[in-house]
Amino acid sequence: MSTHCRRIGLVFATLTLLGGCTREASRTGEGVPKVTLNQRPAPPELAKKEAPAASAPPLTPAPAAMPDLSPILDATPPAPAVRASSELPAPTHTLPPSQWETSKEVRVSHAFAGRLFVAEVTFGGALETTIREVRSKKAPPLLKRTARVDAINHSKDGLCFVEFPNDSKDGIHLMTASADGTRVGSLLAGFDGGHRVVNCEGAPFWIAPVTEQGRRGGLAWIDPASGKRTGLHPELGPAFALTSNEGRVYFMAHQRGGPDVIYSMATDGTDLRGHVKMPRGVLGVAVGSGFIYWSHLMSDGRSTDFGRVAIDGSAPPEALATIKDHVFQSIALANDGLIAATSPAELPGHVVKISADQRAPQAWPSLPRVWQVVGDEGGVFLHYERSEQGAPVRSFARLDEPSPSSSRAR
């Protein structure tokens, strides 16, 4: 197997490891005419016998016509030509001491305004998840659930999270918890979203299931007017990389055969905008300081380019950097650019800083395995793994200190 093929396989295997959504692969036989086997002519003596007419199979209704997206796509600026690729830079930063470590599995982490939350899973007779807030050298439990927690996000009054209860009769739940963990309630039973939910302080948004063989997707939310789940823009196709900032939600979506487009909409479900379009391969989206940032898998399947575009369209998209032969799957907004981490399937793992002013990337020393970077201008945290006497240890370190102007939750 070629190095190129192995890289592609690692990327999609990693998306599954992280609990994220992967793009729908082509389905076997899709678009291929049906072939009916064993249709030789019947012998004359059998042909003379009249057989009862077979009932016609029910007709499958034609897919509903989708709205014309050409106006919004025509108005969306294309991504710029990428910058010349460079090698992974030599380390220039020192990895800070770990803030907290655990030998248990951590399925998900979430950081905002300098606060880090993790969901630590214990396997046994019944699966149990402990949600903790990681502080300097400790991580007190906030709440425990007899369930698997697959997503965490923040709200003004606490947290929301997606859980798979051990004994649930009504499927997955979208839950809320008070800031001290003493009050927990269900927002929605039978939750059908992916592993990401945002805007818990208002009307929660999540990635809608993909239907019609990849033709329809978009987002879903709990409509504040009705209190019911409602689909939003399914015609955009499968959606990924959902995030929120300053009263808007951001995500990437594509139609079959079309480009990857980074969209946003207001948190009341209106004002859909396209911000930038590019060839398939968007890996991560981060938003802040008036810009949308992205990481993008290049056509060689093993290199990553980075760019940004002004949210208000006041400046065209610009390329920031290209690093060859490494796939940087997770990104988080730093004070003056991005911090990006390679896929957990890439061993060893690497972490780099991409400057907004197009300076050369900087790097931390390589690590045995890097799982994810999470955070915002209030602080970026690295989730990585090291080995201690042959056993894996999950570790968390803070990489980027808050800027003086960043003191509010995003």
Side-chain angles (χ1 to χ4, degrees), residues 234-251:
E235 71 278 1
L236 299 179
F240 308 88
L242 177 64
T243 189
S244 63
N245 179 268
E246 299 290 338
R248 296 188 70 81
V249 293
Y250 298 81
F251 60 100

Side-chain angles (χ1 to χ4, degrees), residues 10-11 14-15 17-20 109 196 241-242 281-287 293-297 304-306 323 326-334 337-346 349-354 364 367 369-376 380-384 399:
L10 289 176
V11 174
T14 301
L15 289 173
L17 279 173
L18 288 174
S109 55
R196 180 72 171 150
L242 177 64
V282 170
L283 296 171
V285 175
V287 183
Y293 292 81
W294 68 83
S295 61
H296 175 260
L297 181 66
T304 309
D305 64 271
F306 303 87
I323 299 179
H326 294 281
V327 177
F328 287 89
Q329 186 168 298
S330 65
I331 61 175
L333 189 70
L338 290 176
I339 293 177
T342 51
S343 153
E346 185 168 322
H350 302 281
V351 185
V352 297
K353 189 165 188 177
I354 306 296
W364 282 265
L367 292 159
R369 186 193 296 268
V370 173
W371 284 100
Q372 193 179 23
V373 288
V374 293
D376 54 21
V380 177
F381 298 86
L382 172 66
H383 176 193
Y384 66 98
L399 296 183

Side-chain angles (χ1 to χ4, degrees), residues 244-317:
S244 63
N245 179 268
E246 299 290 338
R248 296 188 70 81
V249 293
Y250 298 81
F251 60 100
M252 184 277 291
H254 60 238
Q255 289 183 310
R256 182 175 298 169
D260 280 357
V261 182
I262 297 177
Y263 297 96
S264 76
M265 70 175 74
T267 52
D268 62 0
T270 65
D271 190 26
L272 178 70
R273 304 179 196 170
H275 295 278
V276 64
K277 58 188 174 187
M278 66 196 79
R280 293 289 179 87
V282 170
L283 296 171
V285 175
V287 183
S289 299
F291 287 89
I292 304 166
Y293 292 81
W294 68 83
S295 61
H296 175 260
L297 181 66
M298 299 183 68
S299 59
D300 65 4
R302 62 179 185 269
S303 303
T304 309
D305 64 271
F306 303 87
R308 71 173 186 172
V309 64
I311 292 173
D312 62 6
S314 59

